Amino acid sequence: MYIEHLSLTNFRSFARLDMEMPRRVALLVGGNAQGKTSLLEAIYYLATFTSFQTHVDRQLVNFIAAREAHQQVAVTRLTADFRHGGGSHRLEARLILEPMGNNAVRPASPLEGLSGSPMPAALTQTGQRLRKEALLDGVKRPLSEVIGQFKAVVFVPQMSQIIEGGPEERRRYLNLALAQAMPAYARILSEYNQALAQRNALLKALGERTAAQGKSRAGNGEQLGVWDEALAWLGAQIILWRVQAVQEIERLAARVHNQLTGGKEVLRLRYQPSFEPLPQPEGQLGLGLHTAVNLSGLDLEDIRRGFQERLKRLRAEEIARGMTIIGPHRDELRLFVNSIDLGHYGSRGQMRTALLALKLAEVDWMQERSGEWPVILLDEVMAELDLERRADLLAYLDKSEQTFLTTTDLNLFTSDFVGQAEVWTVRGGNIQPMRQPGDASS
């Protein structure tokens, strides 16, 4: 899989960009704040319809166009012609910023709540609203059907938050990977978040009613039962897919990590559901969150039944709190090296190595599932790695179909690697070729 042509209109600092994309490896060279990362962001947005830099889509609209949108519609377009499955396809994303009444509500995305927690409908800047559209081969499609048609894996320095940040960062990592690799995941996640929002609204209303009256009215259990069933079915599917994905990615990441550390360290991933997926007999004590549990034998019905039973047991507490306290929106993923939790005790070097192994494993995992390599996006990664890790990474990229790397310093790359890549300069939102592969001039 690779992009043949990319067109951007009113995206970030790019008022207009049209470029034929390098077939194999492209080095984007330039100073800070010149547009290098924005180009990678645009490519990644076409894969996931979300940004790795912001949760607010309005920030992607060129600031001049956004300013003018108080009087007229501003449209940001990202269009890619790409090769996939032996054929050529065109994917287009549109962000439409238009004037309207005050306190406009932003419509929900199919990946709303990628963090694993449902995001409330956000208010746009006063007098404007933003909506998304997606077109595949010229036909407008629901976003949930378009995500994953084009695949990309991104590695940026701030991804240390996957290890150092809160559980929502790790859920976001899983959601973005699975949405690309599993065609139905984005749709099921969207439906789960919608059901969760409805259930939370009902829990809050019941809690307020109970506080006011001193008791809950008849029929409350029946109302919650409907949402319990919907949440259990959708949540069970999400949990099962996540368990399977973590097991598959761990196998690949452990192998890469073993090579990066010379066999000195062992990387393990542990998916921790917020409830015990298997139904528990009455009176049996549950295991603690940090207890390792073998989830490989789970099936969909086991998880659904266990989830629904726990929701019933927690009903009084959830009504009192006005929120759903278990489910995939509260699950956790931990990374361990030699049985040490990296998030709590890992060194900076261990975290960088583990993240590199994780992202390279994500590339291999997508290739295994689809039969095609995703596009690889690396933003200022070389400066974060020592000489040995740089060599390992550059050697790995030989098998990719298309890779984009950004840098402020070409000296971070070997002369052989630079000689085989296309080198482009990025300055003030303008991208120009510096040299072609094999060209000795610079």
Side-chain angles (χ1 to χ4, degrees), residues 153-169:
V153 173
V154 65
F155 189 12
V156 295
Q158 60 263 39
M159 281 190 169
S160 62
Q161 289 301 303
I162 293 176
I163 295 178
E164 297 179 291
E168 67 277 1
E169 295 292 342

Side-chain angles (χ1 to χ4, degrees), residues 265-281:
E265 295 180 342
V266 177
L267 175 66
R268 290 288 180 263
L269 309 181
R270 185 180 300 167
Y271 182 64
Q272 300 173 333
S274 58
F275 71 99
E276 295 163 39
L278 290 173
Q280 298 295 315

Side-chain angles (χ1 to χ4, degrees), residues 177-190:
L178 268 70
Q180 292 192 68
M182 298 181 175
Y185 187 85
R187 176 179 58 82
I188 296 297
L189 180 63
S190 176

Side-chain angles (χ1 to χ4, degrees), residues 39 52 69 91 207 269 304 385:
L39 183 65
F52 59 76
L91 180 60
L269 309 181
R304 185 204 64 79
L385 304 175

Side-chain angles (χ1 to χ4, degrees), residues 3-255:
I3 300 178
E4 298 175 309
H5 183 89
L6 180 69
S7 175
L8 305 178
T9 303
N10 291 332
F11 180 83
R12 292 286 195 181
S13 61
F14 298 106
R16 180 67 181 173
L17 175 71
D18 272 291
M19 61 182 295
E20 300 297 323
M21 305 300 273
R23 174 65 179 83
R24 293 283 299 182
V25 177
L27 281 172
L28 305 171
V29 185
N32 293 323
Q34 299 302 307
K36 304 187 306 297
T37 302
S38 294
L39 183 65
L40 302 192
E41 183 182 26
I43 296 172
Y44 189 70
Y45 195 90
L46 286 163
T48 63
F49 282 78
T50 191
S51 166
F52 59 76
Q53 295 206 98
T54 178
H55 297 298
V56 183
D57 285 333
R58 187 187 180 282
Q59 295 179 3
L60 305 179
V61 180
N62 179 273
F63 72 95
I64 296 176
R67 185 176 59 196
E68 295 174 347
H70 286 284
Q71 288 77 39
Q72 57 187 353
V73 175
V75 180
T76 291
R77 285 188 174 89
L78 305 86
T79 305
D81 296 320
F82 67 101
R83 297 285 296 182
H84 165 54
S88 293
H89 301 275
R90 170 167 289 189
L91 180 60
E92 180 178 348
R94 295 175 183 171
L95 301 176
I96 303 169
L97 190 62
E98 54 194 3
M100 64 171 296
N102 292 343
N103 296 333
V105 177
R106 173 177 52 82
S109 158
L111 286 183
E112 193 75 78
L114 269 175
S115 65
S117 300
M119 295 168 58
L123 299 180
T124 67
Q125 181 171 322
T126 300
Q128 295 175 317
R129 73 169 181 180
L130 182 77
R131 56 187 174 89
K132 293 183 185 180
E133 292 181 352
L135 290 83
L136 181 63
D137 295 330
V139 179
K140 191 180 296 186
R141 304 277 290 277
L143 295 185
S144 60
E145 294 181 9
V146 175
I147 292 170
Q149 294 292 325
F150 168 72
K151 298 178 176 62
V153 173
V154 65
F155 189 12
V156 295
Q158 60 263 39
M159 281 190 169
S160 62
Q161 289 301 303
I162 293 176
I163 295 178
E164 297 179 291
E168 67 277 1
E169 295 292 342
R170 290 175 286 281
R171 289 193 294 267
R172 176 177 170 82
Y173 160 74
L174 280 178
N175 288 338
L176 287 170
L178 268 70
Q180 292 192 68
M182 298 181 175
Y185 187 85
R187 176 179 58 82
I188 296 297
L189 180 63
S190 176
E191 292 176 3
Y192 175 85
N193 284 322
Q194 292 171 19
L196 179 63
Q198 294 287 342
R199 188 176 189 273
N200 283 343
L202 179 57
L203 287 170
K204 184 177 180 180
L206 293 176
E208 292 173 349
R209 186 184 306 167
T210 300
Q213 300 181 352
K215 61 179 181 178
S216 60
R217 293 181 175 176
N220 288 346
E222 293 181 4
Q223 295 176 50
L224 276 174
V226 174
W227 293 113
D228 287 357
E229 184 174 355
L231 212 64
W233 275 112
L234 296 165
Q237 184 62 79
I238 292 170
I239 291 171
L240 181 62
W241 279 335
R242 286 180 179 176
V243 168
Q244 293 170 344
V246 168
Q247 291 173 344
E248 294 169 3
I249 293 173
E250 181 191 52
R251 170 178 55 84
L252 298 167
R255 184 173 64 197

Side-chain angles (χ1 to χ4, degrees), residues 369-395:
R369 294 192 66 89
S370 68
E372 294 183 299
W373 294 102
V375 174
I376 302 176
L377 309 170
L378 305 172
D379 186 37
E380 296 290 352
V381 171
M382 300 301 281
E384 295 285 313
L385 304 175
D386 57 30
L387 290 175
E388 185 177 357
R389 300 294 175 267
R390 291 177 196 171
D392 291 332
L393 175 58
L394 295 181

